[in-house]
Amino acid sequence: MPHLSSAPVSPAELEARLRLHCLPDLGPRRFRRLLSAFDSASSALSAPAAAWRALGLPDSCAEPRRSAEIRERAAAALGWLDDPAHHLVMWDEPSYPALLAELDDAPPLLFVAGVPTILEKPQLAIVGSRRASAPGLDSARRFSRALAGAGFVITSGLALGIDGAAHLGALDAAGETVAVLGTGLQRLYPPRHAGLAARIVAEGGALVSELPLDSPPQAGNFPRRNRLISGLSLGVLVVEASPSSGSLITARLAAEQGREVYAIPGSIHHPGARGCHQLIRDGATLVESVEHILEALRGWQALAPVPKPVDPAESPLLSLLRAAPQSSEGLALAAGWPMPRTLAALTELELDGLVACEAGRWVYRGATA
């Protein structure tokens, strides 16, 4: 989507955009139509209702635009922006994420709590079932940890299950993670992840929503959220999903947006693997190790390239861990390896059952074959 301009927005125009954004039945395409027709949100608000109808906008949009409720909600949003940790990224600003701007229905406004600049960094989405199995949760956390360590921002939807594990994996690696919400930022959902959301912001990540701040959870908003998860990302990894999972919507949107789609296979007897198997049949890349993703996206890596895998029995990390538990940073220093290589190797050793991460430290679990 082309940006409208890069000129700073005046306080009056900002308030007008927030008022437009609060109107019912006014999605991104209609918002764009108004600004294209009237050159500014301020002019659009003052235009007669007949002019809105001529653009094909329903009366449900036009009638409440001067109401006290709409003014109050816009004023509340301006108050929210007084907090230095709160930001509004608009589609005609240079800081608007370039990949997201390609979408025909890119959001005109993005509310961000945390660090907005990470939206411009290379992102990978990790999504999956809310009712994931223990192995699925482990895989999501391990892959996320390694990918975050390789320099990618991990993006997901803050949902229970795979989403939460993906955010935690990035935090394990002291990496960056973005949570895209299907509610307003003042109505965090699910409530059980309020602590995780606070940790994401505190540790340099971001919470993002295109919805007005006070928007409650509504079923129709979550598919909208999914297009942002894929739209912000270079690719989407589906860890575990049933055929009816919303994660498959995210994967389908990713394919339509020209993004890469990856899927982890599972047992044919596990219902949670069927969605991933369907994606693989439809052309998604089958992923068995983190290197399958890193090799495909090597040009986007912010840090050193990942080396070819080595035999686990030959890994110097095992010798170090046999001596004593260590942190990821300690292992990287002792082995003389960059952090991406260290985290990728640890992920492979963990998948082989040779090491485990316990309370932030890696421990040796068994003998090699």
Side-chain angles (χ1 to χ4, degrees):
M1 176 178 297
H3 288 183
L4 299 173
S5 75
S6 58
V9 172
S10 69
E13 176 66 10
L14 174 58
E15 193 267 348
R17 290 189 182 192
L18 289 168
R19 283 171 61 187
L20 283 184
H21 191 249
C22 291
L23 292 175
D25 302 320
L26 187 69
R29 289 188 177 90
R30 286 175 172 174
F31 193 108
R32 181 187 183 191
R33 196 181 309 163
L34 280 172
L35 265 65
S36 296
F38 298 109
D39 295 327
S40 71
S42 301
S43 298
L45 283 173
S46 61
W52 284 45
R53 286 194 293 270
L55 292 173
L57 275 68
D59 289 340
S60 58
C61 286
E63 289 176 355
R65 58 196 159 127
R66 298 186 180 91
S67 70
E69 178 190 353
I70 295 298
R71 292 178 184 274
E72 289 167 4
R73 293 177 73 193
L78 288 171
W80 182 83
L81 289 169
D82 288 338
D83 187 320
H86 296 163
H87 309 272
L88 186 68
V89 179
M90 294 180 278
W91 64 6
D92 53 352
E93 294 178 329
S95 59
Y96 194 88
L99 281 178
L100 194 61
E102 296 174 359
L103 306 189
D104 290 338
D105 58 350
L109 308 178
L110 287 173
F111 293 94
V112 181
V115 182
T117 53
I118 70 171
L119 299 181
E120 303 174 62
K121 296 183 179 182
Q123 298 174 53
L124 280 172
I126 298 179
V127 297
S129 173
R130 293 189 302 274
R131 300 178 180 85
S133 67
L137 295 173
D138 286 345
S139 293
R141 195 159 180 166
R142 292 168 181 172
F143 272 80
S144 176
R145 186 162 56 225
L147 291 166
F152 291 104
V153 176
I154 302 302
T155 299
S156 198
L158 200 69
L160 300 175
I162 296 297
D163 288 20
H167 293 304
L168 287 170
L171 296 174
D172 288 344
E176 296 169 319
T177 184
V178 169
V180 184
L181 276 62
T183 62
L185 292 189
Q186 291 181 323
R187 298 288 297 273
L188 287 179
Y189 182 84
R192 284 168 54 185
H193 275 172
L196 175 58
R199 186 181 169 194
I200 288 171
V201 172
E203 298 186 23
L207 309 179
V208 179
S209 178
E210 68 172 319
L211 299 169
L213 294 168
D214 55 357
S215 299
Q218 295 177 338
N221 286 337
F222 290 94
R224 289 181 60 186
R225 180 272 311 269
N226 292 347
R227 88 188 193 289
L228 301 189
I229 293 174
S230 57
L232 285 165
S233 304
L234 296 166
V236 174
L237 170 64
V238 182
V239 176
E240 189 174 277
S242 69
S244 60
S245 172
S247 304
L248 269 62
I249 297 176
T250 309
R252 176 179 56 78
L253 291 168
E256 292 174 356
Q257 294 162 356
R259 311 301 194 249
E260 298 294 330
V261 179
Y262 308 97
I264 296 178
S267 166
I268 61 172
H269 305 294
H270 179 37
R274 292 174 185 164
C276 291
H277 293 168
Q278 181 62 54
L279 291 174
I280 292 166
R281 286 195 296 272
D282 291 343
T285 300
L286 187 154
V287 169
E288 294 177 309
S289 72
V290 70
E291 280 80 12
H292 291 155
I293 299 174
L294 294 177
E295 286 292 335
L297 297 175
R298 176 172 287 182
W300 287 95
Q301 282 178 252
L303 302 176
V306 173
K308 294 180 179 179
V310 299
D311 187 323
E314 300 174 2
S315 173
L317 303 183
L318 284 180
S319 298
L320 292 167
L321 290 175
R322 285 191 189 100
Q326 294 202 45
S327 66
S328 302
E329 293 79 5
L331 287 168
L333 183 63
W337 287 0
M339 185 59 71
R341 179 179 181 180
T342 303
L343 287 169
L346 285 168
T347 298
E348 294 306 308
L349 291 170
E350 189 177 26
L351 289 170
D352 288 337
L354 298 174
V355 302
C357 187
E358 299 177 357
R361 295 174 69 81
W362 291 92
V363 298
Y364 179 68
R365 292 188 67 175
T368 59

